[in-house]
Amino acid sequence: MAGEKAAVEAKPLLNLDGVTAGYGNTTVVHDVDLVVPEEKIACLVGPNGSGKSTVMKAIYGFADVFDGRVSFDGDDVTGRSPQASLRSGMAYVLQSSSVFSEMTVHENMLMGGYVFDDDERATRRAEELYDEFSRLADLREQEAGMLSGGERRLLELARGLMVEPRLMLLDEPSIGLEPTYMEQVFDRIESLNELGTTILLVEQNAEKGLSVADRGYVLASGEIQYSGTGTELLEDEEVGRLYLGG
Ligand SMILES: Nc1ncnc2c1ncn2[C@@H]1O[C@H](COP(=O)(O)OP(=O)(O)O)[C@@H](O)[C@H]1O
Ligand SMILES: [Mg+2]
């Protein structure tokens, strides 16, 4: 397939090679091979509890890597701290809501840029993002705790973008959102990608996730069961029957 060929030929920005990971002495995922080509979208789907968030955490440094290797832009980053991941250009938007509810939208945005250690730069970057996220611009003085679920998700995305990441790790960005907000979040993900951000997406809405993905992976019981282009997985009968409710 032409799409597959292009995806394989694009330089990998993130590469997991035989990664076994978990927490303390609990192994959750086994021997995971996964590639996110530069400037593409890869999507990881699979049942609840299969280890999707653990893969994300292993990449970013919130989980322990017991075996295998994580490479980012050609560097071995296995077992690196979350701080180091952030500084190197990865942003991780957590599955659970992570806004500071007592702070305003704008204060949340500035928190996203704290690694700059430069208030002016953070303010400048926030202004750039308000041009793109006009809803957030309107809400900038609003306490984040007062936002709707969809607005909160937009704030989490925008806050992640404060550091101008090369790679965004998005863990279930559409969960719990009404359909209109879900569409907005997916539109945002696609436009971010068009502007050059590489994205690894975990999605419970497998059909939607795979439909925006250049590469797809199905994880079940801690192991990658299927991989291919997003389209290949969507069209695969077995994947459809087992994981897409088709
Ligand atoms: N911090 C943790 N310590 C120990 N086990 C955990 C921790 N977080 C998740 N797990 C376990 O790892 C397994 C996979 O969880 P997770 O990666 O969150 O799956 P998914 O994101 O696919 O729903 C679950 O059995 C869960 O209980
Ligand atoms: Mg999860």
Side-chain angles (χ1 to χ4, degrees):
M1 236 185 184
E4 169 79 350
K5 198 154 173 258
V8 168
E9 279 169 4
K11 185 170 154 263
L13 181 60
L14 182 76
N15 210 324
L16 272 64
D17 189 8
V19 168
T20 294
Y23 311 91
N25 40 33
T26 309
T27 299
V28 175
V29 295
H30 304 263
D31 203 17
V32 170
D33 292 330
L34 183 151
V35 175
V36 188
E38 182 123 53
E39 299 190 5
K40 303 283 183 197
I41 300 178
C43 181
L44 180 61
V45 301
N48 257 334
S50 58
K52 302 181 300 297
S53 294
T54 301
V55 170
M56 296 293 233
K57 290 175 189 167
I59 294 165
Y60 198 72
F62 286 128
D64 302 316
V65 178
F66 302 127
D67 200 8
R69 182 185 152 111
V70 181
S71 321
F72 181 55
D73 199 19
D75 294 329
D76 184 348
V77 299
T78 318
R80 206 167 55 163
S81 72
Q83 281 288 10
S85 298
L86 182 62
R87 284 180 195 282
S88 76
M90 284 187 195
Y92 182 17
V93 180
L94 295 161
Q95 177 176 349
S96 49
S97 174
S98 59
V99 300
F100 300 100
S101 17
E102 315 275 277
M103 293 187 186
T104 64
V105 164
H106 188 61
E107 286 164 346
N108 268 279
M109 292 290 281
L110 295 182
M111 288 297 288
Y114 81 99
V115 286
F116 292 153
D117 208 12
D118 177 346
D119 292 347
E120 266 176 54
R121 184 170 170 200
T123 305
R124 236 181 5 249
R125 178 66 180 151
E127 294 301 334
E128 279 174 21
L129 288 165
Y130 290 139
D131 286 343
E132 237 180 284
F133 292 77
S134 56
R135 182 79 192 120
L136 294 180
D138 297 339
L139 294 167
R140 57 196 286 164
E141 298 310 326
Q142 186 78 247
E143 248 182 50
M146 306 294 283
L147 304 185
S148 72
E151 291 163 347
R152 216 170 298 170
R153 205 58 53 81
L154 289 177
L155 174 56
E156 287 164 358
L157 270 182
R159 192 182 55 185
L161 290 168
M162 282 292 292
V163 295
E164 300 177 55
R166 292 184 65 193
L167 174 70
M168 265 204 128
L169 304 170
L170 299 177
D171 199 344
E172 309 221 3
S174 81
I175 201 165
L177 294 185
E178 290 164 29
T180 50
Y181 265 118
M182 182 139 83
E183 284 308 320
Q184 277 193 39
V185 165
F186 275 105
D187 286 350
R188 202 57 77 171
I189 291 169
E190 287 190 285
S191 63
L192 281 176
N193 175 246
E194 277 156 24
L195 294 172
T197 310
T198 305
I199 292 168
L200 175 59
L201 175 66
V202 163
E203 250 309 317
Q204 35 89 40
N205 187 338
E207 208 144 0
K208 187 74 195 163
L210 291 173
S211 73
V212 301
D214 302 286
R215 292 212 52 84
Y217 294 88
V218 179
L219 189 72
S221 310
E223 291 180 21
I224 299 284
Q225 312 284 348
Y226 301 91
S227 64
T229 66
T231 318
E232 279 167 351
L233 292 186
L234 280 174
E235 286 172 356
D236 189 285
E237 238 170 72
E238 212 168 53
V239 171
R241 186 165 47 80
L242 293 173
Y243 303 106
L244 304 175

